[in-house]
Amino acid sequence: MLHALLLLACKSDSAVIVVPRELESFPYVDAGAVSPGERRSFIVPLFSQGKAPLRIFDIQIVAQSDGAVSDVFLVDDAWKTEDSNDDAEVDSTIIGAYDEESDEDTLALPVIFSPPAEGFFSAEMTVWSDDNKTTEFAPLPSDPTQEMGIWKVQLRGIAQYPCARVTPLFLDFGPRPAGGQYTESVEIENCGLVTIDVAQATFSDTAQGSVESGTLYPLYVLPGEAAAIDLRFTASSTGVSGDLAFVSNADMLDAQSVTLLGNTCDASLESGWDSDADGWSVCGGDCNDLDYSASPSAFERAGNGLDDDCDGEVDEPGNVTSTDDDGDGCDEIGQGATCTAYADCDDADPAIGPQAAESADGIDNDCNGRIDDNTERSDDDLDGHSEREGDCDDTNVLIDVDVVETSDGIDNNCNGLLDEGGPDYDDDGDGLTDNEGDCDDGDPWVYPDAFEFCDYYDNDCDGATDNGPDGEQNGACAFLPTRQEAGQ
């Protein structure tokens, strides 16, 4: 009996399995997308599938491109919690036997993804353990004389600078009764692969009043999505004007600002500033915005005791009939050398008349009946937005911030991109479009001649899933160690 036990003990552990120890993991783990230079921690789960605890001795990551030790994916030695050789130094860790009722059979291994520049990065992680079910063994990096069972995991991640846009770039609360609170919003769109982290949105007052954000920060905007920032205006009699600026992880967003107005007539085009609808606002020179017959373009009416033409004088006799009062060469009825198709709409101001150039000041400078037309403040094509509100072509009603993008070589929705979502646009940023053979333009890891990962996808668009470089079925998964047959 003793002789039989000695013979049994002399046999190698790999030949006679007394209690199986088995390490498993996912074939690949995706770190996601981060900004260049950013450090992101993600989890690679390692599972114990055997009936006995197993010990992990070492973990190493090498770049798949050149086989060198990777410095883009890093494992902190904090996973080491056990001393395997009684030298008073931790050099390993133990994962408990498989137990569906407990999490002691899983090691949530933190891995750091820290790309130095934009690009696509991949690596292979090797784990050495006393797994006695694997057929793959390799020398320990720290001690080449010892061979241990190995398991491998593919790692990948993308580095890209965040892409973010905010709309509208101009927001007018309009005229509001003092003391009230009013809410509008701006929208932040994520146009890239990296999550936008908005830490703060601040408003710089240039006058009295208050604009505050009603949104809790940080605000996260996931790729392909948009999020609103609510802005609350506390109205005052003097109004506010200023810029809303952002602090985020996206330089593109931080470089943008939104102009905000509230109870500020000078820069506003809100109809509420022209209460009598005579074409003149209070800040444009209307001295009585409750009387349609009173404005800088009206004739003075004798004997009514009012300043009808808003020149600061009442019932002045010289303006009862038309004269060129401001000396600009054109009078109120269109007579004079500088008169064109229009009459002088403000004969008290020589800078206003048919000969003047229109400017963005809330005044009909050229007297054509339209205020600020052909300037950034005017909605010239009547599509609902001016240039300062984001309309990138204010002569075409089919181009505006609310228009659906079509594949026509034009930036229809004014977001700075051409034909996004169409067959000629690279929606996933992998360098190829649908028409260039990208079989999934929503996945940056899928395109013709891409590296085939063991991820159950057709990465290289050849019509086969997880095939290797020579076309063999499941060849992309050939790096995974195999298991011993039952009974070995």
Side-chain angles (χ1 to χ4, degrees):
M1 181 65 178
L2 178 60
H3 179 67
L5 290 175
L6 290 173
L7 287 176
L8 181 62
C10 289
K11 292 188 177 182
S12 66
D13 190 44
S14 61
V16 177
I17 299 175
V18 178
V19 181
R21 299 184 299 272
E22 186 174 339
L23 178 67
E24 292 278 359
S25 183
F26 301 127
Y28 82 99
V29 179
D30 199 323
V34 302
S35 300
E38 181 183 346
R39 291 171 60 89
R40 170 180 290 179
S41 177
F42 64 104
I43 296 298
V44 176
L46 302 175
F47 310 109
S48 174
Q49 297 291 89
K51 297 180 179 179
L54 64 85
R55 185 185 293 268
I56 295 177
F57 290 91
D58 211 338
I59 299 173
Q60 191 176 78
I61 298 175
V62 297
Q64 288 192 311
S65 58
D66 55 13
V69 175
S70 174
D71 57 359
V72 175
F73 296 93
L74 303 171
V75 178
D76 194 298
D77 281 345
W79 65 269
K80 298 179 180 180
T81 60
E82 302 290 332
D83 180 5
S84 66
N85 54 9
D86 297 324
D87 62 357
E89 291 187 10
V90 292
D91 56 10
S92 61
T93 194
I94 295 177
I95 307 179
Y98 172 73
D99 183 353
E100 63 180 8
E101 303 295 331
S102 171
D103 59 4
E104 296 297 322
D105 58 3
T106 302
L107 172 62
L109 180 69
V111 178
I112 301 297
F113 178 44
S114 181
E118 285 193 303
F120 292 70
F121 300 89
S122 62
E124 185 176 270
M125 184 175 76
T126 302
V127 183
W128 283 263
S129 73
D130 60 359
D131 182 339
N132 58 12
K133 289 287 290 181
T134 182
T135 60
E136 307 291 332
F137 292 83
L140 276 172
S142 57
D143 185 357
T145 64
Q146 294 190 59
E147 287 200 356
M148 294 287 176
I150 60 171
W151 187 259
K152 294 185 176 183
V153 181
Q154 290 177 326
L155 309 176
R156 69 188 190 191
I158 297 174
Q160 184 187 83
Y161 289 107
C163 176
R165 296 183 181 86
V166 59
T167 54
L169 295 175
F170 181 88
L171 184 60
D172 190 350
F173 287 91
R176 299 290 189 177
Q181 288 190 334
Y182 309 91
T183 301
E184 298 284 354
S185 64
V186 296
E187 184 176 82
I188 295 176
E189 174 199 0
N190 189 328
C191 47
L193 301 174
V194 179
T195 298
I196 304 300
D197 179 358
V198 184
Q200 193 176 16
T202 58
F203 177 67
S204 60
D205 277 325
T206 60
Q208 298 177 15
S210 173
V211 174
E212 298 175 334
S213 174
T215 299
L216 295 177
Y217 300 99
L219 173 67
Y220 298 103
V221 188
L222 299 177
E225 297 187 2
I229 291 182
D230 294 325
L231 302 169
R232 184 170 56 248
F233 168 48
T234 302
S236 69
S237 58
T238 54
V240 297
S241 63
D243 293 320
L244 182 72
F246 305 94
V247 178
S248 73
N249 65 333
D251 292 342
M252 186 177 181
L253 177 61
D254 296 352
Q256 301 178 67
S257 62
V258 179
T259 299
L260 300 180
L261 301 180
N263 277 3
T264 302
C265 179
D266 292 342
S268 177
L269 288 179
E270 292 291 320
S271 59
W273 296 107
D274 181 14
S275 299
D276 56 12
D278 61 3
W280 292 87
S281 66
V282 175
C283 53
D286 195 337
C287 55
N288 187 351
D289 202 36
L290 299 177
D291 186 351
Y292 180 85
S293 62
S295 72
S297 60
F299 282 97
E300 186 71 18
R301 292 169 292 172
N304 65 358
L306 301 174
D307 179 12
D308 301 290
D309 59 2
C310 295
D311 64 355
E313 299 182 53
V314 175
D315 293 344
E316 66 272 23
N319 285 359
V320 175
T321 58
S322 178
T323 58
D324 181 15
D325 296 306
D326 56 14
D328 60 7
C330 186
D331 64 15
E332 297 102 316
I333 62 173
Q335 295 181 346
T338 63
C339 291
T340 56
Y342 309 108
D344 193 340
C345 56
D346 187 352
D347 204 30
D349 188 341
I352 298 176
Q355 81 292 344
E358 192 71 14
S359 59
D361 56 4
I363 299 173
D364 180 14
N365 306 91
D366 58 5
C367 297
N368 67 353
R370 299 189 298 275
I371 297 174
D372 294 348
D373 54 306
N374 297 316
T375 72
E376 64 174 13
R377 290 181 54 179
S378 174
D379 178 18
D380 295 303
D381 57 10
L382 303 179
D383 60 7
H385 294 93
S386 64
E387 291 169 276
R388 71 176 178 181
E389 293 171 315
D391 193 337
C392 54
D393 186 350
D394 206 26
T395 65
N396 190 339
V397 70
L398 299 178
I399 298 177
D400 189 33
V401 295
D402 292 332
V403 172
V404 177
E405 188 75 9
T406 57
S407 296
D408 56 5
I410 298 173
D411 182 12
N412 308 94
N413 59 6
C414 297
N415 67 353
L417 305 175
L418 294 180
D419 299 345
E420 68 273 17
D424 291 311
Y425 185 80
D426 179 19
D427 291 290
D428 57 13
D430 58 16
L432 292 172
T433 67
D434 293 306
N435 282 342
E436 292 172 324
D438 194 336
C439 54
D440 185 352
D441 205 28
D443 189 333
W445 295 103
V446 176
Y447 55 90
D449 298 323
F451 180 84
E452 189 76 19
F453 286 92
C454 182
D455 60 358
Y456 319 113
Y457 285 91
D458 177 17
N459 301 99
D460 56 6
C461 296
D462 65 354
T465 300
D466 290 349
N467 59 315
D470 298 324
E472 67 272 19
Q473 186 176 4
N474 296 323
C477 302
F479 70 95
L480 292 174
T482 57
R483 294 294 180 192
Q484 296 180 18
E485 297 293 335
Q488 286 187 305

